[in-house]
């Protein structure tokens, strides 16, 4: 059971990182990237309030990870799948944390 729990954690981190890679590669500005990730996860555009919360969270994560680049490198190296070598590890890690939030939204996890 513990191995399965660990596997699920690794899978979620890798899924979030791959979503983050798409956000970074397929869009330009932070707002466009966040909107793209939100759309991929929920099949709709974020509201202004949702985008504001995501933007604030991303900015906080970026500030924290810029001060802790080793933590960023560790996060983007976690799991079996390789991260995109052409992306800045700090930026990729921050977007990975944001993508993790997106993948854990109620409307993504629960079908009503």
């Amino acid at each position: 059971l513990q191995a399965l729990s660990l596997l699920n954690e690794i899978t979620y981190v890798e899924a979030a990182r791959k979503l983050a890679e798409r956000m970074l590669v397929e869009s330009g500005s932070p707002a466009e990237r966040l909107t793209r990730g939100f759309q991929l996860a929920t099949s709709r555009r974020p509201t202004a309030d949702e985008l504001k919360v995501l933007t604030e969270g991303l900015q906080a994560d970026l500030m924290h990870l810029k001060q802790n680049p080793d933590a960023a490198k560790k996060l983007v190296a976690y799991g079996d799948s390789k991260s995109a070598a052409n992306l800045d590890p700090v930026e990729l890690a921050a977007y990975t944390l944001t993508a993790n939030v997106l993948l854990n939204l109620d409307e993504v996890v629960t079908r009503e």
Side-chain angles (χ1 to χ4, degrees):
L1 186 60
Q2 220 173 12
L4 181 59
S5 176
L6 182 58
L7 175 64
N8 285 333
E9 290 176 22
I10 291 170
T11 301
Y12 257 90
V13 172
E14 288 180 306
R17 189 177 69 240
K18 292 304 177 183
L19 176 56
E21 288 176 6
R22 286 190 67 183
M23 293 163 68
L24 288 166
V25 171
E26 295 177 8
S27 301
S29 71
E32 290 169 345
R33 291 171 174 172
L34 293 170
T35 298
R36 177 71 177 142
F38 194 95
Q39 284 180 305
L40 288 168
T42 65
S43 297
R44 68 173 179 85
R45 293 181 63 82
T47 65
D49 287 340
E50 290 167 333
L51 187 57
K52 181 179 184 238
V53 168
L54 290 171
T55 300
E56 289 171 356
L58 175 65
Q59 290 171 346
D61 291 337
L62 279 168
M63 285 191 330
H64 174 74
L65 291 166
K66 283 179 183 177
Q67 296 173 354
N68 300 286
D70 288 340
K73 290 176 187 172
K74 185 176 179 181
L75 177 60
V76 300
Y78 190 70
D80 292 330
S81 67
K82 303 292 182 208
S83 61
N86 62 326
L87 297 175
D88 172 47
V90 168
E91 189 173 39
L92 178 56
Y95 276 90
T96 297
L97 294 173
T98 301
N100 187 56
V101 168
L102 294 174
L103 293 174
N104 281 289
L105 291 171
D106 283 346
E107 66 186 280
V108 174
V109 176
T110 306
R111 185 173 172 192
E112 295 183 34

